[in-house]
Amino acid sequence: MDIKISIRRAHDAIATFRVPHQDGMSLLDALRWISAHAAPDLAYRWECGGQRICGVCTMRVNGEPLLSCAVTVAPGTDYLLEPLAGFPIAKDLIVDLTSRLDALQYVNPYLTPGGEPIRSHEDADASKLLRSCVECWACVSVCPISLNTDHADALGMVKLARFARDPRDGADRPALAAQAGLDVYTRTCPSCRACMDVCPKAIDVYLDAVKVLADG
């Protein structure tokens, strides 16, 4: 049975393809088939090849931001693939992350010297969940604050909290978060939580990042 896949391309044109179904086929596999057999100029990103560890292949699937390598296609289901919302479109399913990556540097998304050594398993595990973030930008694409602010986006808050929970980090992460607009998140997140539904690693930006930073 063929799978019907529609893709939003240039100028909002929708191109529809019929892809031969194979057991265990992912949407990323289907995109590879389309690229090889029907649309060699189709632009999309992938890197880890289906291991779900890089976040590069994220796109909207029937309106929801998902890792295309993590979606197993089902016969009889139609799929509409679109670029992530809230980002400039570079081409087809590829969005331009330049401005977001530039803004991310504001929160120093790296370990800053000056902290203390890790002395226990508890210390090592404190940031484990936040370290699992694959930077897929799904949280940013559904976050009303991230899409309407010049300050740190949801991913930036995750990065800040990750290092706030790492004893080796010497930066004042709560203070940096406050400068980056933390107060807006503390007011808005409790009634939103949209990020919680789309994170492939089950990170709740409010509970696991914003509250960590707000509580110091």
Side-chain angles (χ1 to χ4, degrees):
M1 183 181 295
D2 289 348
I3 303 297
K4 180 182 176 182
I5 296 181
S6 298
I7 301 174
R8 188 175 300 281
R9 304 196 67 183
H11 308 297
D12 282 339
I14 302 292
T16 299
F17 304 90
R18 294 282 181 176
V19 179
H21 178 258
Q22 298 179 15
D23 288 342
M25 172 183 275
S26 69
L27 272 178
L28 179 58
D29 293 329
L31 284 169
R32 289 169 172 169
W33 187 94
I34 292 169
S35 181
H37 297 91
D41 62 335
L42 178 64
Y44 61 100
R45 285 191 177 109
W46 64 279
E47 187 170 321
C48 72
Q51 301 303 308
R52 308 181 187 186
I53 58 174
C54 74
V56 171
C57 68
T58 310
M59 60 190 65
R60 276 185 293 168
V61 180
N62 294 342
E64 182 179 1
L66 296 169
L67 299 176
S68 62
C69 72
V71 179
T72 302
V73 295
T77 302
D78 296 343
Y79 296 90
L80 172 62
L81 309 185
E82 302 171 278
L84 276 180
F87 299 82
I89 298 172
K91 182 182 178 183
D92 296 335
L93 299 173
I94 295 180
V95 295
D96 184 352
L97 297 172
T98 303
S99 63
R100 294 288 181 179
L101 291 171
D102 288 344
L104 193 60
Q105 299 310 306
Y106 179 79
V107 304
N108 298 345
Y110 43 78
L111 192 70
T112 301
E116 300 291 333
I118 289 177
R119 304 183 189 279
S120 66
H121 288 297
E122 183 178 4
D123 285 347
D125 289 343
S127 62
K128 185 175 181 179
L129 175 62
L130 296 167
R131 294 199 311 269
S132 73
C133 170
V134 295
E135 300 180 14
C136 67
W137 303 92
C139 59
V140 174
S141 75
V142 300
C143 174
I145 303 174
S146 296
L147 296 177
N148 294 283
T149 184
D150 294 327
H151 298 300
D153 55 31
L155 179 57
M157 289 296 159
V158 169
K159 292 295 184 183
L160 283 165
R162 168 188 172 173
F163 293 109
R165 304 206 67 181
D166 190 326
R168 298 171 298 171
D169 191 76
D172 187 340
R173 298 294 173 170
L176 193 54
Q179 296 170 18
L182 177 65
D183 62 321
V184 182
Y185 289 90
T186 58
R187 292 196 305 269
T188 307
C189 290
S191 61
C192 178
R193 315 294 285 281
C195 58
M196 181 174 58
D197 296 326
V198 301
C199 178
K201 297 299 181 179
I203 296 171
D204 182 330
V205 175
Y206 175 60
L207 291 180
D208 300 321
V210 171
K211 279 189 64 64
V212 167
L213 295 164
D215 293 345

